[in-house]
Amino acid sequence: MLPRQTAEEISRLLAKEITVKRESLGLSKNETATRAGLSVSFVSDLENGKSRASVETLVKLAWVFGTTASEMLEACERRSGYSPSRGLDQL
């Protein structure tokens, strides 16, 4: 998978990860947005893939979910089959 395709896949998986984390904690979009200092519409857009999370947004959401941004990204990378060594093959 090319870097752009990988990034798009991880972004799609991250949107799903946000929804899964929120729902597993029994949080509404409103509660999540309030705790993270975000708007409800933005949280909805993130979950629906209409917007992408910045690093700052991801850190805020991870804090609400009791995890880290890196753990959330790593989970998405594993599910996508991402491997940084694949890029070395193209050098």
Side-chain angles (χ1 to χ4, degrees), residues 7-55:
E8 289 172 359
E9 175 68 4
I10 290 172
S11 291
R12 186 184 68 72
L13 290 168
L14 185 57
K16 191 173 192 174
E17 180 77 3
I18 292 168
T19 304
V20 168
K21 291 279 189 197
R22 179 181 61 76
E23 290 177 346
S24 72
L25 293 169
L27 296 173
S28 67
K29 289 178 187 175
N30 186 50
E31 290 171 310
T32 302
T34 299
R35 292 180 187 189
L38 305 169
S39 71
V40 177
S41 61
F42 184 56
V43 171
S44 181
D45 286 349
L46 288 171
E47 290 187 3
N48 293 317
K50 294 179 182 176
S51 294
R52 291 187 179 179
S54 67
V55 171

Side-chain angles (χ1 to χ4, degrees), residues 51-86:
S51 294
R52 291 187 179 179
S54 67
V55 171
E56 182 180 349
T57 297
L58 186 55
V59 168
K60 288 177 180 181
L61 289 169
W63 178 80
V64 170
F65 301 148
T67 188
T68 65
S70 61
E71 287 176 351
M72 290 179 70
L73 283 171
E74 286 173 11
C76 295
E77 288 173 344
R78 281 191 304 273
R79 276 189 260 128
S80 75
Y82 170 77
S83 171
S85 63
R86 286 186 184 165

